[in-house]
Amino acid sequence: MNETLSKHWTLSTDADGIAWLTLDCAGASTNTLGSAVITELALHVDALERSRPAGLVIRSGKAAGFIAGADVEEFTQLADGAAARAMVQRSWDLFNRIEALPFPTLALIRGHCMGGGLELALACRYRITVDEPATRLALPEVMLGIVPGWGGMLRLPRVVGPAAALDMMLTGKQIDAKRAKKMGLADECVPPRVMDDAARMLVASARPARRLPFMQRLLNGPLKAVVANGARKQVARKASPAHYPAPYAIIDTWQHFGGNSLAVPPGHSASFEHILGQGTAMNLVRVFFLQQRLKAMGKDEATDFAPRHVHVVGAGVMGGDIAAWCALRGMTVTLQDQSIERIAPAIKRAAESYAKKFRGDRKQVRFTLDRLIADPKGDGIRRADVIIEAIFENLEAKHALFRDIEQRARPDAVIASNTSSLRLEDIAQALRQPERLVGIHFFNPVAMMPLVEVVAGEASDPQQLKRAMSFVQKLDKLPLPVKSAPGFLVNAVLGPYLLEAMRCVEEGIAPETVDRAATDFGMPMGPIELADTVGLDIAMATGRALTGASEVPARLQALVSAGKLGRKSGEGYYHWSEGKVRKGAAGPAPAGLADRLVSPLLAATQGCVDRSVVSDADLADAGVIFGTGFSPWTGGPLHYAATRS
């Protein structure tokens, strides 16, 4: 086998005359398509155009995956739209050359295949996905405020049809190996043991590339407007073009410019110049790096800690959902409450969520449920690596529980509370070794909220905190280290925000108008609807504790006194039916209403930094974005406050 080596690529030719081009980015754990990698790829394509092998297989030399996409760090260095055009032109031209190679080409995809990596794969005639959980394909550029400019907007609609392609590009959703085969994105889906042979056989077959059915070709051609108009309506329900121009640019580029972003004139709203000029892209890139920082914190803390058994005390909504998530992530979980009858609803909810997750695959559901064990006597405490308390917020009850846990737990077990309102120091008074207690604070709904606060009390052992951080990371959550303080970070900033919204209602502004102002700003849910969802009794109690407000808004007080607590009672500020809110029409918002709503949140976030609840402003921004859904287009509350002043 002949080989040609460069820093990042290896080109070899086997006995059948098939070339194998392997990417193994030097000095990196994952493959990315930075400028140096693209330069080397172009040189290898030069050689392939001259040698004309029987076929070409592009694969990864990394265990971590195929290609994670472009080098995002290089994107931050772009000076303007012209620089962006030059970067895109280079890869656009190169991928067109790969598509035009006069022999069969194949991308062998094992592990993540994201962004530019999928665009490279789309330039090949064939794609094979390896059937493993880690294999995921996506064009997530929209999540960074940019567009798939290296050919994704042109080729993906040709391969899978425009509706499926726009769905992927406008949401950034990931597709697994089997789904890729089913939708036509992959030609074959094979197990790892036969992937090389499968690639060799498919290339050797030299069969024509898969062609879309006739109706899909019409929708990708003369009937483009039908698909595009439907896509615009869907995007408009979730994203404002003023804050998120990229999804609209994707639709326009596909519909009007043949999927070629280079053909979009500089003055057009879909152009590089407009997208970069809005500021959203750089702010979303900032959010990406904040997320990467949180992910790295969990990995760096205690990589040798591998929890296999988790014990959760409290089978209510929060405790039950924590237990269900841990089981989903492969851990054995024992769930404790006063009786089997109290635990049963949590097991039922878990089964329902697993059925949705695994799309009715009963075998997968059964295997996952087998790891979730009802344990009313708490026998699992003695075996657990991590023990999480998630009972009601009563200090005496927690004291009694932790005395029992400490007596039965292994000396090296992580002992944690999910408390959201009590001081960790007060809870730790029940322990002979208070340094063992840490906070691991999840948010509701557990399956959807990515952030988990890891709370350090005054006496908490640093090693226990490191292990707690590692545990959270292994749950595929984002661990945020915070100090024990009222509300920690997330609830401490939400309290003033909700209170200000309720004051607006007291002044006669309709709840619907208040909520619309917040969602137009980019919040995932309006503050009044959020208060109703949390429960007005809880909102009132935590609001008093966190804001120090001596006077509760009169309408809030009246609703709570009447037992109208929001979603859980069927009525609060809004009426609720079967868990869904019923709202009236929103009226015109007074000038500056959105700024008025978020200003207390910005001030509270700065206060948490000033009091060292979080160690720096970037972590505060990360925590508020991933813990509350604060408008990502802003780059975070403190970043937004600095740029608007």
Side-chain angles (χ1 to χ4, degrees), residues 295-642:
K295 287 182 177 180
M297 293 179 91
K299 292 177 182 177
D300 291 346
E301 293 297 348
T303 54
D304 61 336
F305 182 55
R308 294 182 296 273
H309 184 156
V310 179
H311 184 83
V312 179
V313 186
V317 172
M318 181 60 75
D321 288 359
I322 292 171
W325 184 260
C326 292
L328 183 64
R329 300 306 301 169
M331 300 173 189
T332 298
V333 184
T334 41
L335 179 58
Q336 178 182 351
D337 212 307
Q338 294 176 350
S339 66
I340 288 289
E341 289 73 22
R342 287 179 177 267
I343 300 172
I347 304 291
K348 180 182 178 182
R349 285 198 315 277
E352 291 170 350
S353 69
Y354 297 157
K356 290 180 182 178
K357 171 73 175 177
F358 297 120
R359 297 175 182 171
D361 186 332
R362 294 182 180 180
K363 186 176 180 181
Q364 287 271 45
V365 172
R366 186 176 69 253
F367 284 164
T368 310
L369 275 175
D370 284 347
R371 293 194 292 268
L372 182 55
I373 304 163
D375 183 16
K377 295 182 180 180
D379 293 330
I381 292 175
R382 300 185 190 279
R383 303 186 301 275
D385 302 296
V386 179
I387 302 162
I388 303 173
E389 169 271 312
I391 67 171
F392 57 98
E393 298 288 67
N394 178 280
L395 188 59
E396 291 183 2
K398 290 182 190 290
H399 278 175
L401 175 62
F402 276 107
R403 288 190 192 99
D404 178 60
I405 288 174
E406 186 179 31
Q407 290 176 359
R408 295 201 276 170
R410 288 180 4 217
D412 60 342
V414 173
I415 299 177
S417 174
N418 184 60
T419 185
S420 59
S421 61
L422 297 177
R423 295 176 71 246
L424 211 59
E425 292 80 6
D426 292 338
I427 298 173
Q429 289 176 1
L431 299 177
R432 293 191 302 272
Q433 295 177 294
E435 65 274 13
R436 294 190 68 180
L437 184 67
V438 299
I440 301 180
H441 181 221
F442 292 81
F443 296 94
N444 195 22
V446 172
M448 293 179 62
M449 297 301 291
L451 191 82
V452 176
E453 291 174 318
V454 177
V455 188
E458 292 177 0
S460 296
D461 178 8
Q463 189 60 30
Q464 288 288 77
L465 290 165
K466 289 180 179 180
R467 300 175 85 198
M469 293 278 287
S470 180
F471 164 67
V472 170
Q473 190 274 330
K474 287 176 174 62
L475 291 179
D476 199 26
K477 297 292 185 182
L478 301 175
L480 176 73
V482 296
K483 288 186 179 179
S484 179
F488 312 133
L489 171 68
V490 172
N491 286 343
V493 306
L494 277 178
Y497 167 65
L498 297 181
L499 181 60
E500 190 63 32
M502 293 173 185
R503 285 173 176 157
C504 290
V505 175
E506 292 295 303
E507 295 171 13
I509 304 174
E512 291 88 350
T513 303
V514 173
D515 279 351
R516 173 66 65 82
T519 54
D520 284 351
F521 179 75
M523 303 297 271
M525 180 184 290
I528 302 301
E529 183 180 347
L530 177 59
D532 259 9
T533 303
V534 169
L536 297 185
D537 51 340
I538 295 172
M540 185 170 74
T542 56
R544 276 176 168 164
L546 297 175
T547 66
S550 56
E551 294 186 11
V552 173
R555 185 169 177 184
L556 174 62
Q557 180 70 68
L559 288 168
V560 173
S561 298
K564 298 177 179 179
L565 307 179
R567 178 181 177 179
K568 60 187 174 184
S569 68
E571 185 178 354
Y573 281 93
Y574 297 116
H575 289 279
W576 294 78
S577 177
E578 297 181 353
K580 296 183 178 180
V581 67
R582 294 165 54 193
K583 291 185 178 182
L593 179 56
D595 272 350
R596 176 183 171 182
L597 292 172
V598 301
S599 289
L601 185 151
L602 305 184
T605 306
Q606 183 62 57
C608 286
V609 176
D610 294 341
R611 297 191 303 275
S612 299
V613 176
V614 283
S615 60
D616 58 60
D618 282 353
L619 281 182
D621 276 349
V624 178
I625 290 170
F626 295 111
T628 74
F630 185 86
S631 311
W633 69 267
T634 65
L638 297 184
H639 182 74
Y640 174 69

Side-chain angles (χ1 to χ4, degrees), residues 33-35 38 70-78 80-93 146 149-150 262 272:
L33 296 177
S35 58
I38 291 293
D71 185 339
V72 180
E73 190 70 50
E74 290 184 1
F75 179 74
T76 66
Q77 300 166 11
L78 294 176
D80 51 30
R85 284 180 181 275
M87 172 186 277
V88 170
Q89 183 81 60
R90 187 182 191 190
S91 295
W92 170 270
D93 291 344
I146 56 177
W150 293 356
L262 294 165
F272 297 115

Side-chain angles (χ1 to χ4, degrees), residues 42-96:
L43 295 174
H44 286 297
V45 172
D46 290 342
L48 290 164
E49 288 173 332
R50 293 191 299 268
S51 63
R52 297 200 173 195
L56 169 67
V57 177
I58 300 176
R59 62 183 176 180
S60 169
K62 301 281 190 194
F66 184 64
I67 301 174
D71 185 339
V72 180
E73 190 70 50
E74 290 184 1
F75 179 74
T76 66
Q77 300 166 11
L78 294 176
D80 51 30
R85 284 180 181 275
M87 172 186 277
V88 170
Q89 183 81 60
R90 187 182 191 190
S91 295
W92 170 270
D93 291 344
L94 177 58
F95 289 6
N96 284 344

